[in-house]
PDB file of all heavy atoms in Angstrom:
ATOM      1  N   SER A  25     -19.529 -16.699  -9.328  1.00 94.00           N
ATOM      2  CA  SER A  25     -20.832 -16.867 -10.050  1.00 94.00           C
ATOM      3  C   SER A  25     -20.836 -16.003 -11.339  1.00 94.00           C
ATOM      4  O   SER A  25     -20.034 -15.077 -11.485  1.00 94.00           O
ATOM      5  CB  SER A  25     -21.979 -16.504  -9.130  1.00 94.00           C
ATOM      6  OG  SER A  25     -21.900 -15.145  -8.845  1.00 94.00           O
ATOM      7  N   SER A  26     -21.784 -16.308 -12.135  1.00 92.00           N
ATOM      8  CA  SER A  26     -21.982 -15.522 -13.404  1.00 92.00           C
ATOM      9  C   SER A  26     -22.185 -14.065 -13.173  1.00 92.00           C
ATOM     10  O   SER A  26     -21.592 -13.258 -13.858  1.00 92.00           O
ATOM     11  CB  SER A  26     -23.115 -16.082 -14.245  1.00 92.00           C
ATOM     12  OG  SER A  26     -22.971 -17.464 -14.520  1.00 92.00           O
ATOM     13  N   SER A  27     -22.966 -13.777 -12.191  1.00 95.00           N
ATOM     14  CA  SER A  27     -23.250 -12.316 -11.928  1.00 95.00           C
ATOM     15  C   SER A  27     -21.988 -11.625 -11.380  1.00 95.00           C
ATOM     16  O   SER A  27     -21.736 -10.493 -11.724  1.00 95.00           O
ATOM     17  CB  SER A  27     -24.413 -12.170 -10.865  1.00 95.00           C
ATOM     18  OG  SER A  27     -24.051 -12.861  -9.745  1.00 95.00           O
ATOM     19  N   MET A  28     -21.163 -12.306 -10.613  1.00 96.00           N
ATOM     20  CA  MET A  28     -19.915 -11.773 -10.116  1.00 96.00           C
ATOM     21  C   MET A  28     -18.911 -11.619 -11.239  1.00 96.00           C
ATOM     22  O   MET A  28     -18.130 -10.649 -11.271  1.00 96.00           O
ATOM     23  CB  MET A  28     -19.374 -12.594  -9.001  1.00 96.00           C
ATOM     24  CG  MET A  28     -20.063 -12.506  -7.690  1.00 96.00           C
ATOM     25  SD  MET A  28     -20.190 -10.782  -7.081  1.00 96.00           S
ATOM     26  CE  MET A  28     -18.496 -10.464  -6.731  1.00 96.00           C
ATOM     27  N   GLN A  29     -18.893 -12.530 -12.179  1.00 95.00           N
ATOM     28  CA  GLN A  29     -18.027 -12.415 -13.356  1.00 95.00           C
ATOM     29  C   GLN A  29     -18.378 -11.211 -14.153  1.00 95.00           C
ATOM     30  O   GLN A  29     -17.506 -10.422 -14.503  1.00 95.00           O
ATOM     31  CB  GLN A  29     -18.148 -13.649 -14.235  1.00 95.00           C
ATOM     32  CG  GLN A  29     -17.651 -14.938 -13.599  1.00 95.00           C
ATOM     33  CD  GLN A  29     -18.005 -16.161 -14.432  1.00 95.00           C
ATOM     34  OE1 GLN A  29     -18.217 -16.061 -15.637  1.00 95.00           O
ATOM     35  NE2 GLN A  29     -18.067 -17.297 -13.793  1.00 95.00           N
ATOM     36  N   MET A  30     -19.660 -11.018 -14.385  1.00 95.00           N
ATOM     37  CA  MET A  30     -20.133  -9.818 -15.176  1.00 95.00           C
ATOM     38  C   MET A  30     -19.848  -8.542 -14.399  1.00 95.00           C
ATOM     39  O   MET A  30     -19.442  -7.558 -15.048  1.00 95.00           O
ATOM     40  CB  MET A  30     -21.625  -9.987 -15.464  1.00 95.00           C
ATOM     41  CG  MET A  30     -21.895 -10.956 -16.574  1.00 95.00           C
ATOM     42  SD  MET A  30     -23.591 -10.870 -17.095  1.00 95.00           S
ATOM     43  CE  MET A  30     -24.217 -12.437 -16.439  1.00 95.00           C
ATOM     44  N   ALA A  31     -20.079  -8.598 -13.061  1.00 96.00           N
ATOM     45  CA  ALA A  31     -19.780  -7.347 -12.327  1.00 96.00           C
ATOM     46  C   ALA A  31     -18.266  -7.001 -12.366  1.00 96.00           C
ATOM     47  O   ALA A  31     -17.880  -5.856 -12.452  1.00 96.00           O
ATOM     48  CB  ALA A  31     -20.284  -7.553 -10.850  1.00 96.00           C
ATOM     49  N   THR A  32     -17.469  -8.076 -12.244  1.00 96.00           N
ATOM     50  CA  THR A  32     -15.994  -7.834 -12.277  1.00 96.00           C
ATOM     51  C   THR A  32     -15.598  -7.255 -13.637  1.00 96.00           C
ATOM     52  O   THR A  32     -14.825  -6.326 -13.663  1.00 96.00           O
ATOM     53  CB  THR A  32     -15.260  -9.184 -11.988  1.00 96.00           C
ATOM     54  OG1 THR A  32     -15.626  -9.727 -10.684  1.00 96.00           O
ATOM     55  CG2 THR A  32     -13.744  -8.993 -12.068  1.00 96.00           C
ATOM     56  N   ALA A  33     -16.093  -7.843 -14.712  1.00 95.00           N
ATOM     57  CA  ALA A  33     -15.771  -7.370 -16.036  1.00 95.00           C
ATOM     58  C   ALA A  33     -16.231  -5.887 -16.227  1.00 95.00           C
ATOM     59  O   ALA A  33     -15.506  -5.095 -16.770  1.00 95.00           O
ATOM     60  CB  ALA A  33     -16.412  -8.252 -17.051  1.00 95.00           C
ATOM     61  N   ALA A  34     -17.436  -5.663 -15.734  1.00 95.00           N
ATOM     62  CA  ALA A  34     -17.954  -4.305 -15.892  1.00 95.00           C
ATOM     63  C   ALA A  34     -17.178  -3.251 -15.095  1.00 95.00           C
ATOM     64  O   ALA A  34     -16.860  -2.229 -15.591  1.00 95.00           O
ATOM     65  CB  ALA A  34     -19.430  -4.247 -15.466  1.00 95.00           C
ATOM     66  N   VAL A  35     -16.852  -3.628 -13.842  1.00 96.00           N
ATOM     67  CA  VAL A  35     -16.156  -2.641 -13.003  1.00 96.00           C
ATOM     68  C   VAL A  35     -14.743  -2.428 -13.590  1.00 96.00           C
ATOM     69  O   VAL A  35     -14.246  -1.252 -13.702  1.00 96.00           O
ATOM     70  CB  VAL A  35     -16.063  -3.109 -11.568  1.00 96.00           C
ATOM     71  CG1 VAL A  35     -15.153  -2.332 -10.707  1.00 96.00           C
ATOM     72  CG2 VAL A  35     -17.478  -3.058 -10.919  1.00 96.00           C
ATOM     73  N   VAL A  36     -13.985  -3.516 -13.826  1.00 96.00           N
ATOM     74  CA  VAL A  36     -12.656  -3.397 -14.307  1.00 96.00           C
ATOM     75  C   VAL A  36     -12.562  -2.681 -15.650  1.00 96.00           C
ATOM     76  O   VAL A  36     -11.782  -1.720 -15.879  1.00 96.00           O
ATOM     77  CB  VAL A  36     -11.929  -4.761 -14.383  1.00 96.00           C
ATOM     78  CG1 VAL A  36     -10.590  -4.613 -15.093  1.00 96.00           C
ATOM     79  CG2 VAL A  36     -11.768  -5.329 -13.009  1.00 96.00           C
ATOM     80  N   GLY A  37     -13.456  -3.001 -16.579  1.00 94.00           N
ATOM     81  CA  GLY A  37     -13.535  -2.342 -17.837  1.00 94.00           C
ATOM     82  C   GLY A  37     -13.872  -0.834 -17.726  1.00 94.00           C
ATOM     83  O   GLY A  37     -13.256   0.003 -18.384  1.00 94.00           O
ATOM     84  N   SER A  38     -14.862  -0.550 -16.919  1.00 95.00           N
ATOM     85  CA  SER A  38     -15.253   0.873 -16.715  1.00 95.00           C
ATOM     86  C   SER A  38     -14.116   1.674 -16.105  1.00 95.00           C
ATOM     87  O   SER A  38     -13.845   2.799 -16.501  1.00 95.00           O
ATOM     88  CB  SER A  38     -16.458   0.966 -15.827  1.00 95.00           C
ATOM     89  OG  SER A  38     -17.567   0.292 -16.448  1.00 95.00           O
ATOM     90  N   VAL A  39     -13.442   1.139 -15.085  1.00 96.00           N
ATOM     91  CA  VAL A  39     -12.300   1.810 -14.483  1.00 96.00           C
ATOM     92  C   VAL A  39     -11.195   2.105 -15.490  1.00 96.00           C
ATOM     93  O   VAL A  39     -10.614   3.158 -15.487  1.00 96.00           O
ATOM     94  CB  VAL A  39     -11.865   1.079 -13.174  1.00 96.00           C
ATOM     95  CG1 VAL A  39     -10.517   1.583 -12.730  1.00 96.00           C
ATOM     96  CG2 VAL A  39     -12.946   1.157 -12.097  1.00 96.00           C
ATOM     97  N   ALA A  40     -10.928   1.030 -16.266  1.00 94.00           N
ATOM     98  CA  ALA A  40      -9.861   1.203 -17.260  1.00 94.00           C
ATOM     99  C   ALA A  40     -10.200   2.251 -18.335  1.00 94.00           C
ATOM    100  O   ALA A  40      -9.354   3.090 -18.642  1.00 94.00           O
ATOM    101  CB  ALA A  40      -9.611  -0.188 -17.978  1.00 94.00           C
ATOM    102  N   VAL A  41     -11.472   2.306 -18.730  1.00 93.00           N
ATOM    103  CA  VAL A  41     -11.841   3.266 -19.739  1.00 93.00           C
ATOM    104  C   VAL A  41     -11.786   4.665 -19.070  1.00 93.00           C
ATOM    105  O   VAL A  41     -11.226   5.643 -19.717  1.00 93.00           O
ATOM    106  CB  VAL A  41     -13.253   3.036 -20.278  1.00 93.00           C
ATOM    107  CG1 VAL A  41     -13.852   4.176 -21.001  1.00 93.00           C
ATOM    108  CG2 VAL A  41     -13.258   1.796 -21.164  1.00 93.00           C
ATOM    109  N   LEU A  42     -12.317   4.821 -17.852  1.00 94.00           N
ATOM    110  CA  LEU A  42     -12.272   6.133 -17.229  1.00 94.00           C
ATOM    111  C   LEU A  42     -10.867   6.653 -16.956  1.00 94.00           C
ATOM    112  O   LEU A  42     -10.519   7.779 -17.107  1.00 94.00           O
ATOM    113  CB  LEU A  42     -13.123   6.106 -15.930  1.00 94.00           C
ATOM    114  CG  LEU A  42     -14.645   6.049 -16.165  1.00 94.00           C
ATOM    115  CD1 LEU A  42     -15.350   5.850 -14.849  1.00 94.00           C
ATOM    116  CD2 LEU A  42     -15.153   7.238 -16.861  1.00 94.00           C
ATOM    117  N   ALA A  43     -10.037   5.690 -16.516  1.00 93.00           N
ATOM    118  CA  ALA A  43      -8.624   6.020 -16.235  1.00 93.00           C
ATOM    119  C   ALA A  43      -7.939   6.522 -17.490  1.00 93.00           C
ATOM    120  O   ALA A  43      -7.238   7.538 -17.519  1.00 93.00           O
ATOM    121  CB  ALA A  43      -7.875   4.893 -15.600  1.00 93.00           C
ATOM    122  N   THR A  44      -8.185   5.790 -18.592  1.00 89.00           N
ATOM    123  CA  THR A  44      -7.539   6.190 -19.850  1.00 89.00           C
ATOM    124  C   THR A  44      -8.085   7.538 -20.341  1.00 89.00           C
ATOM    125  O   THR A  44      -7.300   8.410 -20.754  1.00 89.00           O
ATOM    126  CB  THR A  44      -7.858   5.085 -20.927  1.00 89.00           C
ATOM    127  OG1 THR A  44      -7.372   3.863 -20.482  1.00 89.00           O
ATOM    128  CG2 THR A  44      -7.240   5.477 -22.256  1.00 89.00           C
ATOM    129  N   TYR A  45      -9.390   7.766 -20.122  1.00 89.00           N
ATOM    130  CA  TYR A  45      -9.914   9.084 -20.584  1.00 89.00           C
ATOM    131  C   TYR A  45      -9.337  10.152 -19.787  1.00 89.00           C
ATOM    132  O   TYR A  45      -8.879  11.207 -20.394  1.00 89.00           O
ATOM    133  CB  TYR A  45     -11.443   8.988 -20.310  1.00 89.00           C
ATOM    134  CG  TYR A  45     -12.141  10.343 -20.582  1.00 89.00           C
ATOM    135  CD1 TYR A  45     -12.321  10.885 -21.844  1.00 89.00           C
ATOM    136  CD2 TYR A  45     -12.496  11.115 -19.508  1.00 89.00           C
ATOM    137  CE1 TYR A  45     -12.887  12.067 -22.034  1.00 89.00           C
ATOM    138  CE2 TYR A  45     -13.089  12.347 -19.669  1.00 89.00           C
ATOM    139  CZ  TYR A  45     -13.282  12.856 -20.938  1.00 89.00           C
ATOM    140  OH  TYR A  45     -13.842  14.077 -21.093  1.00 89.00           O
ATOM    141  N   TYR A  46      -9.239  10.078 -18.478  1.00 89.00           N
ATOM    142  CA  TYR A  46      -8.701  11.161 -17.657  1.00 89.00           C
ATOM    143  C   TYR A  46      -7.147  11.370 -17.814  1.00 89.00           C
ATOM    144  O   TYR A  46      -6.705  12.498 -17.823  1.00 89.00           O
ATOM    145  CB  TYR A  46      -8.991  10.951 -16.174  1.00 89.00           C
ATOM    146  CG  TYR A  46     -10.488  11.253 -15.897  1.00 89.00           C
ATOM    147  CD1 TYR A  46     -11.379  10.296 -15.537  1.00 89.00           C
ATOM    148  CD2 TYR A  46     -11.013  12.542 -16.092  1.00 89.00           C
ATOM    149  CE1 TYR A  46     -12.718  10.577 -15.295  1.00 89.00           C
ATOM    150  CE2 TYR A  46     -12.299  12.827 -15.906  1.00 89.00           C
ATOM    151  CZ  TYR A  46     -13.173  11.837 -15.510  1.00 89.00           C
ATOM    152  OH  TYR A  46     -14.523  12.121 -15.357  1.00 89.00           O
ATOM    153  N   VAL A  47      -6.481  10.279 -18.090  1.00 88.00           N
ATOM    154  CA  VAL A  47      -5.032  10.449 -18.335  1.00 88.00           C
ATOM    155  C   VAL A  47      -4.766  11.128 -19.638  1.00 88.00           C
ATOM    156  O   VAL A  47      -3.920  12.030 -19.757  1.00 88.00           O
ATOM    157  CB  VAL A  47      -4.272   9.052 -18.345  1.00 88.00           C
ATOM    158  CG1 VAL A  47      -2.933   9.129 -18.899  1.00 88.00           C
ATOM    159  CG2 VAL A  47      -4.304   8.509 -16.881  1.00 88.00           C
ATOM    160  N   ARG A  48      -5.528  10.788 -20.658  1.00 83.00           N
ATOM    161  CA  ARG A  48      -5.372  11.407 -21.975  1.00 83.00           C
ATOM    162  C   ARG A  48      -5.815  12.843 -21.945  1.00 83.00           C
ATOM    163  O   ARG A  48      -5.241  13.742 -22.627  1.00 83.00           O
ATOM    164  CB  ARG A  48      -6.156  10.662 -23.048  1.00 83.00           C
ATOM    165  CG  ARG A  48      -5.523   9.394 -23.452  1.00 83.00           C
ATOM    166  CD  ARG A  48      -6.308   8.803 -24.618  1.00 83.00           C
ATOM    167  NE  ARG A  48      -5.459   7.848 -25.310  1.00 83.00           N
ATOM    168  CZ  ARG A  48      -5.772   7.340 -26.508  1.00 83.00           C
ATOM    169  NH1 ARG A  48      -6.937   7.641 -27.064  1.00 83.00           N
ATOM    170  NH2 ARG A  48      -4.948   6.555 -27.087  1.00 83.00           N
ATOM    171  N   ARG A  49      -6.848  13.166 -21.134  1.00 82.00           N
ATOM    172  CA  ARG A  49      -7.350  14.546 -21.085  1.00 82.00           C
ATOM    173  C   ARG A  49      -6.390  15.421 -20.322  1.00 82.00           C
ATOM    174  O   ARG A  49      -6.332  16.569 -20.678  1.00 82.00           O
ATOM    175  CB  ARG A  49      -8.702  14.502 -20.394  1.00 82.00           C
ATOM    176  CG  ARG A  49      -9.425  15.789 -20.458  1.00 82.00           C
ATOM    177  CD  ARG A  49     -10.845  15.672 -19.924  1.00 82.00           C
ATOM    178  NE  ARG A  49     -11.068  16.768 -19.038  1.00 82.00           N
ATOM    179  CZ  ARG A  49     -11.887  16.747 -18.029  1.00 82.00           C
ATOM    180  NH1 ARG A  49     -12.520  15.687 -17.744  1.00 82.00           N
ATOM    181  NH2 ARG A  49     -12.067  17.789 -17.260  1.00 82.00           N
ATOM    182  N   ALA A  50      -5.698  14.896 -19.376  1.00 80.00           N
ATOM    183  CA  ALA A  50      -4.799  15.715 -18.562  1.00 80.00           C
ATOM    184  C   ALA A  50      -3.486  15.925 -19.255  1.00 80.00           C
ATOM    185  O   ALA A  50      -2.810  16.954 -18.965  1.00 80.00           O
ATOM    186  CB  ALA A  50      -4.511  14.965 -17.193  1.00 80.00           C
ATOM    187  N   ARG A  51      -3.117  15.185 -20.255  1.00 77.00           N
ATOM    188  CA  ARG A  51      -1.893  15.413 -21.019  1.00 77.00           C
ATOM    189  C   ARG A  51      -2.007  16.642 -21.826  1.00 77.00           C
ATOM    190  O   ARG A  51      -3.073  16.836 -22.456  1.00 77.00           O
ATOM    191  CB  ARG A  51      -1.591  14.265 -21.975  1.00 77.00           C
ATOM    192  CG  ARG A  51      -0.830  13.193 -21.343  1.00 77.00           C
ATOM    193  CD  ARG A  51      -0.315  12.191 -22.322  1.00 77.00           C
ATOM    194  NE  ARG A  51      -0.946  12.230 -23.617  1.00 77.00           N
ATOM    195  CZ  ARG A  51      -1.017  11.206 -24.485  1.00 77.00           C
ATOM    196  NH1 ARG A  51      -0.442  10.102 -24.211  1.00 77.00           N
ATOM    197  NH2 ARG A  51      -1.687  11.296 -25.587  1.00 77.00           N
ATOM    198  N   PRO A  52      -0.937  17.419 -21.883  1.00 73.00           N
ATOM    199  CA  PRO A  52      -0.986  18.604 -22.835  1.00 73.00           C
ATOM    200  C   PRO A  52      -1.044  18.111 -24.259  1.00 73.00           C
ATOM    201  O   PRO A  52      -0.441  17.140 -24.588  1.00 73.00           O
ATOM    202  CB  PRO A  52       0.281  19.361 -22.522  1.00 73.00           C
ATOM    203  CG  PRO A  52       1.177  18.388 -21.926  1.00 73.00           C
ATOM    204  CD  PRO A  52       0.317  17.297 -21.208  1.00 73.00           C
ATOM    205  N   GLY A  53      -1.779  18.895 -25.090  1.00 67.00           N
ATOM    206  CA  GLY A  53      -1.888  18.491 -26.447  1.00 67.00           C
ATOM    207  C   GLY A  53      -0.568  18.766 -27.218  1.00 67.00           C
ATOM    208  O   GLY A  53       0.315  19.458 -26.773  1.00 67.00           O
ATOM    209  N   ASP A  54      -0.508  18.173 -28.386  1.00 64.00           N
ATOM    210  CA  ASP A  54       0.662  18.390 -29.182  1.00 64.00           C
ATOM    211  C   ASP A  54       0.661  19.868 -29.643  1.00 64.00           C
ATOM    212  O   ASP A  54      -0.440  20.508 -29.840  1.00 64.00           O
ATOM    213  CB  ASP A  54       0.619  17.514 -30.456  1.00 64.00           C
ATOM    214  CG  ASP A  54       0.737  16.031 -30.128  1.00 64.00           C
ATOM    215  OD1 ASP A  54       1.413  15.789 -29.076  1.00 64.00           O
ATOM    216  OD2 ASP A  54       0.200  15.240 -30.823  1.00 64.00           O
ATOM    217  N   PRO A  55       1.782  20.480 -29.890  1.00 65.00           N
ATOM    218  CA  PRO A  55       1.830  21.804 -30.331  1.00 65.00           C
ATOM    219  C   PRO A  55       1.249  21.930 -31.774  1.00 65.00           C
ATOM    220  O   PRO A  55       1.224  20.982 -32.504  1.00 65.00           O
ATOM    221  CB  PRO A  55       3.290  22.171 -30.364  1.00 65.00           C
ATOM    222  CG  PRO A  55       4.033  20.853 -30.415  1.00 65.00           C
ATOM    223  CD  PRO A  55       3.171  19.913 -29.722  1.00 65.00           C
ATOM    224  N   SER A  56       0.687  23.057 -32.018  1.00 68.00           N
ATOM    225  CA  SER A  56       0.040  23.305 -33.304  1.00 68.00           C
ATOM    226  C   SER A  56       1.073  23.120 -34.471  1.00 68.00           C
ATOM    227  O   SER A  56       2.171  23.629 -34.370  1.00 68.00           O
ATOM    228  CB  SER A  56      -0.569  24.718 -33.342  1.00 68.00           C
ATOM    229  OG  SER A  56      -0.971  24.964 -34.679  1.00 68.00           O
ATOM    230  N   PRO A  57       0.712  22.451 -35.513  1.00 67.00           N
ATOM    231  CA  PRO A  57       1.629  22.311 -36.654  1.00 67.00           C
ATOM    232  C   PRO A  57       1.939  23.742 -37.267  1.00 67.00           C
ATOM    233  O   PRO A  57       3.003  23.845 -37.887  1.00 67.00           O
ATOM    234  CB  PRO A  57       0.823  21.477 -37.680  1.00 67.00           C
ATOM    235  CG  PRO A  57      -0.239  20.863 -36.933  1.00 67.00           C
ATOM    236  CD  PRO A  57      -0.515  21.662 -35.727  1.00 67.00           C
ATOM    237  N   ARG A  58       1.054  24.624 -37.058  1.00 65.00           N
ATOM    238  CA  ARG A  58       1.299  25.989 -37.609  1.00 65.00           C
ATOM    239  C   ARG A  58       2.428  26.680 -36.935  1.00 65.00           C
ATOM    240  O   ARG A  58       2.946  27.715 -37.381  1.00 65.00           O
ATOM    241  CB  ARG A  58      -0.029  26.842 -37.486  1.00 65.00           C
ATOM    242  CG  ARG A  58      -1.177  26.249 -38.236  1.00 65.00           C
ATOM    243  CD  ARG A  58      -2.342  27.141 -37.924  1.00 65.00           C
ATOM    244  NE  ARG A  58      -2.612  27.164 -36.515  1.00 65.00           N
ATOM    245  CZ  ARG A  58      -3.690  27.578 -35.966  1.00 65.00           C
ATOM    246  NH1 ARG A  58      -4.673  27.981 -36.661  1.00 65.00           N
ATOM    247  NH2 ARG A  58      -3.844  27.572 -34.646  1.00 65.00           N
ATOM    248  N   SER A  59       2.857  26.225 -35.731  1.00 66.00           N
ATOM    249  CA  SER A  59       3.938  26.857 -34.964  1.00 66.00           C
ATOM    250  C   SER A  59       5.253  26.164 -35.225  1.00 66.00           C
ATOM    251  O   SER A  59       6.324  26.477 -34.561  1.00 66.00           O
ATOM    252  CB  SER A  59       3.613  26.870 -33.524  1.00 66.00           C
ATOM    253  OG  SER A  59       3.580  25.520 -32.983  1.00 66.00           O
ATOM    254  N   GLU A  60       5.319  25.176 -36.104  1.00 69.00           N
ATOM    255  CA  GLU A  60       6.578  24.474 -36.395  1.00 69.00           C
ATOM    256  C   GLU A  60       7.216  24.981 -37.638  1.00 69.00           C
ATOM    257  O   GLU A  60       6.598  25.214 -38.672  1.00 69.00           O
ATOM    258  CB  GLU A  60       6.266  22.952 -36.526  1.00 69.00           C
ATOM    259  CG  GLU A  60       5.823  22.369 -35.208  1.00 69.00           C
ATOM    260  CD  GLU A  60       5.681  20.884 -35.333  1.00 69.00           C
ATOM    261  OE1 GLU A  60       6.241  20.220 -36.226  1.00 69.00           O
ATOM    262  OE2 GLU A  60       4.829  20.316 -34.570  1.00 69.00           O
ATOM    263  N   ARG A  61       8.539  25.223 -37.585  1.00 68.00           N
ATOM    264  CA  ARG A  61       9.251  25.744 -38.673  1.00 68.00           C
ATOM    265  C   ARG A  61       9.214  24.878 -39.884  1.00 68.00           C
ATOM    266  O   ARG A  61       9.275  25.247 -41.036  1.00 68.00           O
ATOM    267  CB  ARG A  61      10.704  26.082 -38.237  1.00 68.00           C
ATOM    268  CG  ARG A  61      11.605  26.575 -39.320  1.00 68.00           C
ATOM    269  CD  ARG A  61      11.738  28.090 -39.215  1.00 68.00           C
ATOM    270  NE  ARG A  61      12.773  28.540 -40.172  1.00 68.00           N
ATOM    271  CZ  ARG A  61      12.559  29.542 -40.916  1.00 68.00           C
ATOM    272  NH1 ARG A  61      11.575  30.258 -40.767  1.00 68.00           N
ATOM    273  NH2 ARG A  61      13.529  29.948 -41.790  1.00 68.00           N
ATOM    274  N   SER A  62       9.240  23.525 -39.641  1.00 64.00           N
ATOM    275  CA  SER A  62       9.245  22.546 -40.755  1.00 64.00           C
ATOM    276  C   SER A  62       7.918  22.658 -41.554  1.00 64.00           C
ATOM    277  O   SER A  62       7.915  22.239 -42.730  1.00 64.00           O
ATOM    278  CB  SER A  62       9.452  21.145 -40.246  1.00 64.00           C
ATOM    279  OG  SER A  62       8.377  20.788 -39.414  1.00 64.00           O
ATOM    280  N   VAL A  63       6.854  23.153 -40.970  1.00 69.00           N
ATOM    281  CA  VAL A  63       5.614  23.273 -41.677  1.00 69.00           C
ATOM    282  C   VAL A  63       5.382  24.676 -42.279  1.00 69.00           C
ATOM    283  O   VAL A  63       4.932  24.793 -43.331  1.00 69.00           O
ATOM    284  CB  VAL A  63       4.441  22.919 -40.702  1.00 69.00           C
ATOM    285  CG1 VAL A  63       3.097  23.171 -41.316  1.00 69.00           C
ATOM    286  CG2 VAL A  63       4.552  21.459 -40.228  1.00 69.00           C
ATOM    287  N   ASN A  64       5.843  25.648 -41.456  1.00 73.00           N
ATOM    288  CA  ASN A  64       5.616  27.021 -41.864  1.00 73.00           C
ATOM    289  C   ASN A  64       6.948  27.777 -41.786  1.00 73.00           C
ATOM    290  O   ASN A  64       7.460  28.021 -40.746  1.00 73.00           O
ATOM    291  CB  ASN A  64       4.555  27.682 -40.962  1.00 73.00           C
ATOM    292  CG  ASN A  64       4.162  29.048 -41.412  1.00 73.00           C
ATOM    293  OD1 ASN A  64       4.777  29.600 -42.300  1.00 73.00           O
ATOM    294  ND2 ASN A  64       3.095  29.526 -40.777  1.00 73.00           N
ATOM    295  N   LEU A  65       7.487  28.163 -42.906  1.00 76.00           N
ATOM    296  CA  LEU A  65       8.764  28.915 -42.975  1.00 76.00           C
ATOM    297  C   LEU A  65       8.737  30.274 -42.410  1.00 76.00           C
ATOM    298  O   LEU A  65       9.823  30.897 -42.196  1.00 76.00           O
ATOM    299  CB  LEU A  65       9.285  28.871 -44.368  1.00 76.00           C
ATOM    300  CG  LEU A  65       9.611  27.497 -44.995  1.00 76.00           C
ATOM    301  CD1 LEU A  65      10.003  27.630 -46.401  1.00 76.00           C
ATOM    302  CD2 LEU A  65      10.691  26.782 -44.157  1.00 76.00           C
ATOM    303  N   ASP A  66       7.554  30.810 -42.086  1.00 77.00           N
ATOM    304  CA  ASP A  66       7.499  32.117 -41.493  1.00 77.00           C
ATOM    305  C   ASP A  66       7.836  32.086 -40.041  1.00 77.00           C
ATOM    306  O   ASP A  66       8.190  33.111 -39.461  1.00 77.00           O
ATOM    307  CB  ASP A  66       6.092  32.687 -41.687  1.00 77.00           C
ATOM    308  CG  ASP A  66       5.720  33.015 -43.139  1.00 77.00           C
ATOM    309  OD1 ASP A  66       6.631  33.444 -43.836  1.00 77.00           O
ATOM    310  OD2 ASP A  66       4.592  32.708 -43.515  1.00 77.00           O
TER     311      ASP A  66
END
């Protein structure tokens, strides 16, 4: 039914967004460019 289609879309979309958010948040960030020799010769 239409309501089940909307519920399915809402649940799957929400789970995908939340999963992406938590996976990206758990990953360590890129090292600071200030700590790379190619950017800073010091």
